[in-house]
Amino acid sequence: MSTNARQMALVAFLQAQNCSNYVGSWRNPSSMTDYLTPEYYQRIARTLEDGRFDMAFFDDRLAMPDIYNGNHHETVRHGVRAVKLEPTAVLMAMAMATRHLGLGATYSTTYYEPFHVARLFATLDLMTKGRVAWNVVTSMNDSEAANFGHTEHLEHDLRYDRADEFMEVVMGHWDTWEDDIIVADKAEGFFADPDKVRRLDHAGRFFRSRGPLTVPRSPQGNPVILQAGQSGRGLAFAARWAEVVFAKYPTLEGGIKQYQALKEGVAKAGRDPDDLKVAAEVKIIAAETESLAKEKRDMIAGLSRPIDGLTMIGETANIDFSGRPYDQPFTDEELAAMSWQSLRDKVVQVSGKKNPSVRDFVEASGRGTLNDGPVFCGTGEQVADMMEEWFSKGCDGFVLSATAVPGTYEEIVRLVIPHLQKRGLVRKEYGGGTLRDNLGLRRPRAGDWKAGSR
């Protein structure tokens, strides 16, 4: 039994759509089909809260996958993430069914305005009494650009340059109110001290925003910042801004190196490495016996279809693979233009080819298959053993993906969580009132952040 006082951060990786991030999940006979109703998400939320998860967060894209063959037909026909609900609305439905579970939503720095995002997430944080997180993304393809009146997506590093300034504006707006300044003295007619609310007056390369923000500070100061960048530029962005990073480890050995690099990057950015939690993304397949778990894994693996990977790779790389010879290598120029550089780099590394082909992308990336990332398969105790090993060596917690919804989370809570709780690795009761409290992250004070100091 572990006596380690350090506890795992547990995050559920959700999609507000017809499937989990494993596309084949919608074909699983045990997956529920009422994903267009609040009850579906509230059911998941209650299960996660019963298991003392820190947070559920929603990944999101701003377009239906329609790059493959230049249209959406295969996406709709095969259910390849064809549905995408607005995540903050779903988040609030889950908030109303829970008291402690943290809730995160993805919002893009490329296609929204900083004042809107600052106001939206500050309001969500008040309405949940300090349980909200913002997953910061830069978006990734031309389909998203087309939905917002643009002809093409911004170049990779330029997106992050814009995102850095976007964060400066949002953080600045969240700092325009000092803590606990509302007096609301009805007799004197005095509401609050105007000297403790300031304008931002930001004028930069990409944005101009005056302020002040119209939303006072929440119990946790401001929402928790999530990020999942894996490229060199994305990791630099995470080191500067992120409080929780979702990391995709190909192996534990590779994960240990990535974990160390992230912590070192935070220190170089002038921050305390303890202010960053690194959560490794894994899939869990648990059953009462090892043989049953393996049978379940085989069944789940058989749910994927070749079109899943082809559609998803095209979406993330921003390239139509449909008319390309399967074994024709990509040129240096084509590889450089790919939107998701960490995916490209993974394929180059795994395939051992400087100029991989479509076949290499499908086989080496694992996109659309069960092999897209680590899978912990076994009894509840065996899965807990795997999680403890990774936690002790190369991460601060886990982002858990589902292969059946809500079944995967019900099995984790029933079969795995009790073993982790016995080892002291997962709480038995929530200890704090906010998401920051439960994650062990400090509460920022008004004035902590100044433009250019982070």
Side-chain angles (χ1 to χ4, degrees), residues 295-332:
E295 287 179 17
K296 187 186 295 185
R297 176 174 178 156
D298 290 342
M299 182 276 289
I300 291 168
L303 299 173
S304 67
R305 303 287 183 269
I307 191 62
D308 299 348
L310 288 167
T311 300
M312 291 176 62
I313 294 169
E315 180 191 31
T316 51
N318 202 28
I319 290 177
D320 182 4
F321 286 175
S322 64
R324 188 182 188 90
Y326 206 56
D327 292 301
Q328 177 180 314
F330 286 94
T331 66
D332 291 342

Side-chain angles (χ1 to χ4, degrees), residues 272-449:
D272 184 342
D274 289 339
D275 287 343
L276 174 71
K277 303 291 183 183
V278 180
E281 182 195 340
V282 301
K283 298 182 185 72
I284 288 180
I285 299 175
E288 288 76 8
T289 67
E290 184 176 0
S291 60
L292 281 174
K294 289 180 177 178
E295 287 179 17
K296 187 186 295 185
R297 176 174 178 156
D298 290 342
M299 182 276 289
I300 291 168
L303 299 173
S304 67
R305 303 287 183 269
I307 191 62
D308 299 348
L310 288 167
T311 300
M312 291 176 62
I313 294 169
E315 180 191 31
T316 51
N318 202 28
I319 290 177
D320 182 4
F321 286 175
S322 64
R324 188 182 188 90
Y326 206 56
D327 292 301
Q328 177 180 314
F330 286 94
T331 66
D332 291 342
E333 292 75 16
E334 289 171 326
L335 291 170
M338 289 187 176
S339 180
W340 193 1
Q341 294 186 0
S342 60
L343 174 67
R344 176 203 63 194
D345 295 344
K346 174 186 176 181
V347 171
V348 169
Q349 179 184 6
V350 173
S351 69
K353 298 178 182 178
K354 179 175 178 289
N355 297 89
S357 64
V358 174
R359 181 188 300 277
D360 296 317
F361 267 86
V362 171
E363 295 178 356
S365 74
R367 296 290 287 170
T369 74
L370 193 59
N371 296 321
D372 182 14
V375 179
F376 292 173
C377 176
T379 64
E381 185 172 11
Q382 288 171 329
V383 170
D385 289 343
M386 296 177 222
M387 294 176 73
E388 183 170 10
E389 182 185 12
W390 280 48
F391 178 64
S392 67
K393 295 178 179 178
C395 66
D396 300 307
F398 297 91
V399 181
L400 301 180
S401 303
T403 55
V405 183
T408 294
Y409 297 118
E410 293 171 347
E411 288 158 2
I412 292 171
V413 171
R414 180 169 58 88
L415 299 173
V416 181
I417 295 296
H419 291 285
L420 296 174
Q421 288 174 329
K422 288 177 183 177
R423 303 176 196 195
L425 297 173
V426 170
R427 68 175 66 85
K428 292 184 178 180
E429 297 296 337
Y430 288 100
T434 71
L435 176 56
R436 288 182 181 278
D437 292 334
N438 290 321
L439 286 171
L441 295 171
R442 67 178 184 86
R443 182 189 187 275
R445 298 168 300 176
D448 273 0
W449 187 88

Side-chain angles (χ1 to χ4, degrees), residues 28-312:
N28 193 319
S30 66
S31 282
M32 302 295 286
T33 59
D34 56 340
Y35 40 77
L36 300 181
T37 71
E39 288 81 7
Y40 176 85
Y41 301 98
Q42 290 171 340
R43 188 183 307 126
I44 298 168
R46 284 189 288 267
T47 296
L48 297 174
E49 190 160 270
D50 286 345
R52 304 302 186 257
F53 271 64
D54 292 282
M55 174 172 46
F57 103 97
F58 287 94
D59 183 27
D60 192 34
R61 305 266 166 78
L62 297 173
M64 183 184 291
D66 64 355
I67 291 176
Y68 185 79
N69 211 26
N71 59 57
H72 58 270
H73 294 172
E74 297 300 323
T75 289
V76 174
R77 179 178 291 113
H78 297 282
V80 186
R81 301 189 183 182
V83 173
K84 295 182 188 295
L85 306 182
E86 204 290 317
T88 61
V90 178
L91 178 156
M92 286 307 297
M94 295 173 73
M96 296 302 102
T98 54
R99 293 180 56 202
H100 304 283
L101 182 70
L103 297 158
T106 297
Y107 247 64
S108 172
T109 60
T110 303
Y111 297 115
Y112 294 111
E113 287 294 321
F115 184 88
H116 168 70
V117 173
R119 182 170 178 251
L120 172 64
F121 278 86
T123 302
L124 292 172
D125 212 31
L126 284 172
M127 293 299 101
T128 59
K129 299 183 179 180
R131 294 193 279 144
V132 163
W134 170 30
N135 181 40
V136 184
V137 299
T138 62
S139 297
M140 60 177 49
N141 62 43
D142 292 345
S143 297
E144 291 172 292
N147 284 342
F148 288 84
H150 303 280
T151 56
E152 62 183 10
H153 198 43
L154 291 176
E155 180 270 330
H156 181 270
D157 284 0
L158 184 61
R159 295 202 309 271
Y160 278 104
D161 291 344
R162 176 187 166 97
D164 272 322
E165 187 179 335
F166 195 108
M167 292 301 299
E168 291 173 6
V169 180
V170 170
M171 298 295 287
H173 276 306
W174 284 341
D175 254 7
T176 57
W177 286 69
E178 294 187 21
D179 283 308
D180 302 321
I181 70 165
I182 296 177
V183 178
D185 186 328
K186 296 181 180 180
E188 295 294 327
F190 181 75
F191 182 72
D193 185 346
D195 292 332
K196 295 183 178 181
V197 179
R198 65 180 184 85
R199 283 185 6 189
L200 179 62
D201 288 325
H202 175 90
R205 177 185 175 189
F206 297 98
F207 303 106
R208 298 180 67 88
S209 189
R210 191 183 73 174
L213 190 66
T214 56
V215 185
R217 287 166 65 78
S218 76
Q220 68 171 351
N222 57 250
V224 173
I225 302 298
L226 318 179
Q227 215 266 333
Q230 303 289 302
S231 66
R233 186 64 179 85
L235 292 174
F237 183 86
R240 184 181 181 194
W241 298 109
E243 295 175 286
V244 179
V245 165
F246 305 140
K248 207 172 182 69
Y249 293 172
T251 62
L252 176 55
E253 291 71 24
I256 292 170
K257 294 177 182 177
Q258 188 173 328
Y259 180 79
Q260 293 171 343
L262 277 163
K263 294 286 187 173
E264 289 169 4
V266 170
K268 289 178 182 178
R271 300 171 56 203
D272 184 342
D274 289 339
D275 287 343
L276 174 71
K277 303 291 183 183
V278 180
E281 182 195 340
V282 301
K283 298 182 185 72
I284 288 180
I285 299 175
E288 288 76 8
T289 67
E290 184 176 0
S291 60
L292 281 174
K294 289 180 177 178
E295 287 179 17
K296 187 186 295 185
R297 176 174 178 156
D298 290 342
M299 182 276 289
I300 291 168
L303 299 173
S304 67
R305 303 287 183 269
I307 191 62
D308 299 348
L310 288 167
T311 300
M312 291 176 62

